[in-house]
Amino acid sequence: MTGGQLTRRRLLQGLLVLGALPLTGIGRAAPVPEAGVALIGASWRGPNAGDAYYAGVLEADWRARTLRIRYAVPLPGRAHALLAEPEPELGLLVLAARPGKWLLRCNDRGEIVQHFDVAAESAHRLNGHAVYSEDGRRLFCTETDSRDGKGRIGVRDARSLAMLTTWDTGGIDPHQLLPDAAGNLLVANGGAPRTASDAKHDLQRMAPSLVRLETGAGRRLGQWTLPDPRLSLRHLAWGLPDAAGLRYLGIAIQAEHDSRAERARAPVLAVFDGERLWTPAGGNDGVGYSGDIVTACDGGFALSSNQAGKVLLWRPGLPDKLEQIVDFKESYALAHWPGPQASGGVMVATAFGLVRWHPQAQPAFLAWPEPMALDNHWISLA
């Protein structure tokens, strides 16, 4: 979660770096007309630990250079990921942070229309991410059975949110999941043993993996691992098709080695091409912690490292490189911004406000509309 006080000196430092970003390995940005707004689903709390939590929609007006809260709803606790509701427009489904005990749905008027108590239903706890089925009738959630610690996909009715059935993920600590082109599910098993209160333990027993499940009965179609079991696979993003039409899956890594020096050397990105899982880039963030990942230009990905205050760019055309594109304190939540060529841009939540980057557009910074600390993930709604 981001936080911190905006100082004139720190802001100027960040803007100087941001202004130089289009010159970093990509080419000078051409001025483009500033028009329209970006709508972002987000969750946050007040600036201080213990402040109340909220979810809602933020409106970034590029021409007016303003960021405002379109609506906000109070939450029963900290959230992790959000999903855009098919209808009504700009409604959100909010998932509690791990070990999650609730799901909450709000409409586009900022009204809570559903609050589902997962803890009252079963021993399952939410792991923070979900996707809708292709027909919109089911909701697939990453979950953990607190009785045995096994990873599950909770298959829930999309309207009632009640459990229909569960599938084994073939591992423990499942985190994010995404559908593939065939409609199957790709699931990142983080692999870290955790207590019921979410404390990690016995990391020498880690077993992270990427799993493909078919969505009829949850049958396992494939499972892939990296050579180093201390590399926890966490967050997923599909890249845009490259020049050859190939579309990669990017996987954000969080290193769990005992030594800080080992973590500092660890890769922060894995890539999956449908058959092979590997770590392509030699560079990293110097910390070993990639917090979020989103599609970016040239078929690649942007990865955030809030601990290092960086956003890094990987592109298939330069597979051995990670280029720094943002340097702002607590750079964390990422969302896609299409920009002038309908591809490649990123909106970043930082300690001080929204940072926008695009290879062909002017960079932008919008301060938070009020003191607030953004949570780990947000989503582009328009």
Side-chain angles (χ1 to χ4, degrees):
M1 171 173 291
T2 61
Q5 295 299 313
L6 176 61
T7 66
R8 179 177 176 82
R9 180 178 180 182
R10 185 64 184 88
L11 174 57
L12 288 174
Q13 288 173 342
L15 290 176
L16 284 171
V17 173
L18 181 60
L21 296 181
L23 305 178
T24 306
I26 297 174
R28 184 177 297 275
V32 295
E34 294 290 348
V37 299
L39 299 175
I40 310 166
S43 61
W44 65 90
R45 61 159 168 78
N48 304 306
D51 285 347
Y53 290 93
Y54 297 89
V57 171
L58 306 178
E59 180 181 298
D61 188 322
W62 306 125
R63 186 182 296 276
R65 299 290 196 271
T66 59
L67 183 63
R68 74 179 185 91
I69 299 172
R70 178 170 281 203
Y71 71 77
V73 298
L75 299 178
R78 186 177 181 182
H80 191 69
L82 312 96
L83 291 179
E85 286 288 83
E87 53 181 273
E89 185 181 3
L90 300 183
L92 297 171
L93 180 70
V94 186
L95 290 94
R98 187 189 61 236
K101 299 180 180 180
W102 51 266
L103 292 159
L104 185 143
R105 180 173 271 139
C106 64
N107 63 22
D108 60 344
R109 296 184 298 278
E111 300 167 337
I112 297 173
V113 296
Q114 197 170 7
H115 181 182
F116 187 83
D117 188 345
V118 172
E121 176 193 50
S122 72
H124 279 212
R125 297 295 177 263
L126 301 173
N127 289 354
H129 287 272
V131 293
Y132 284 110
S133 62
E134 190 173 10
D135 62 9
R137 299 175 62 182
R138 293 176 295 169
L139 180 72
F140 304 122
C141 300
T142 53
E143 305 183 8
T144 292
D145 189 327
S146 62
R147 295 168 297 186
D148 57 18
K150 290 184 177 180
R152 306 287 186 186
I153 299 301
V155 183
R156 298 178 173 274
D157 181 88
R159 289 296 93 196
S160 71
L161 303 179
M163 186 80 77
L164 301 174
T165 188
T166 67
W167 301 332
D168 189 341
T169 69
I172 62 172
D173 189 29
H175 200 62
Q176 192 167 4
L177 72 173
L178 286 178
D180 66 11
N184 302 307
L185 289 178
L186 287 165
V187 184
N189 283 316
R194 296 176 184 269
T195 67
S197 62
D198 202 43
K200 290 177 281 192
H201 64 92
D202 295 328
L203 295 182
Q204 74 279 0
R205 297 196 293 109
M206 280 184 63
S209 65
L210 179 70
V211 178
R212 178 181 278 132
L213 303 177
E214 60 88 20
T215 54
R219 182 169 58 93
R220 198 183 317 166
L221 303 176
Q223 189 162 14
W224 298 264
T225 62
L226 294 173
D228 186 349
R230 290 295 187 100
L231 299 177
S232 182
L233 306 180
R234 310 300 298 165
H235 293 109
L236 308 175
W238 281 109
L240 298 165
D242 65 10
L246 182 60
R247 195 180 188 200
Y248 293 101
L249 180 75
I251 307 168
I253 292 173
Q254 295 175 11
E256 297 288 356
H257 302 90
D258 296 332
S259 161
R260 172 183 269 184
E262 286 183 280
R263 296 195 300 272
R265 293 191 298 266
V268 292
L269 171 69
V271 172
F272 180 65
D273 64 5
E275 298 181 358
R276 183 169 70 105
L277 177 68
W278 78 103
T279 55
N284 61 14
D285 65 344
V287 178
Y289 187 96
S290 181
D292 201 3
I293 185 170
V294 71
T295 183
C297 58
D298 301 328
F301 308 99
L303 301 102
S304 65
S305 175
N306 68 307
Q307 296 181 29
K310 299 176 182 178
V311 178
L312 304 172
L313 174 68
W314 179 84
R315 295 179 286 167
L318 295 169
D320 297 328
K321 291 185 63 177
L322 280 176
E323 305 169 65
Q324 182 173 315
I325 58 172
V326 174
D327 178 9
F328 246 76
K329 181 180 178 182
E330 287 282 355
S331 295
Y332 211 144
L334 301 175
H336 181 65
W337 183 65
Q341 295 189 352
S343 67
V346 180
M347 295 183 291
V348 187
T350 75
F352 308 134
L354 182 159
V355 167
R356 189 196 72 188
W357 176 89
H358 191 284
Q360 279 87 39
Q362 294 285 7
F365 170 81
L366 303 177
W368 299 129
E370 60 185 49
M372 55 199 298
L374 267 285
D375 255 310
N376 304 62
H377 302 290
W378 59 0
I379 54 172
S380 177
L381 299 175

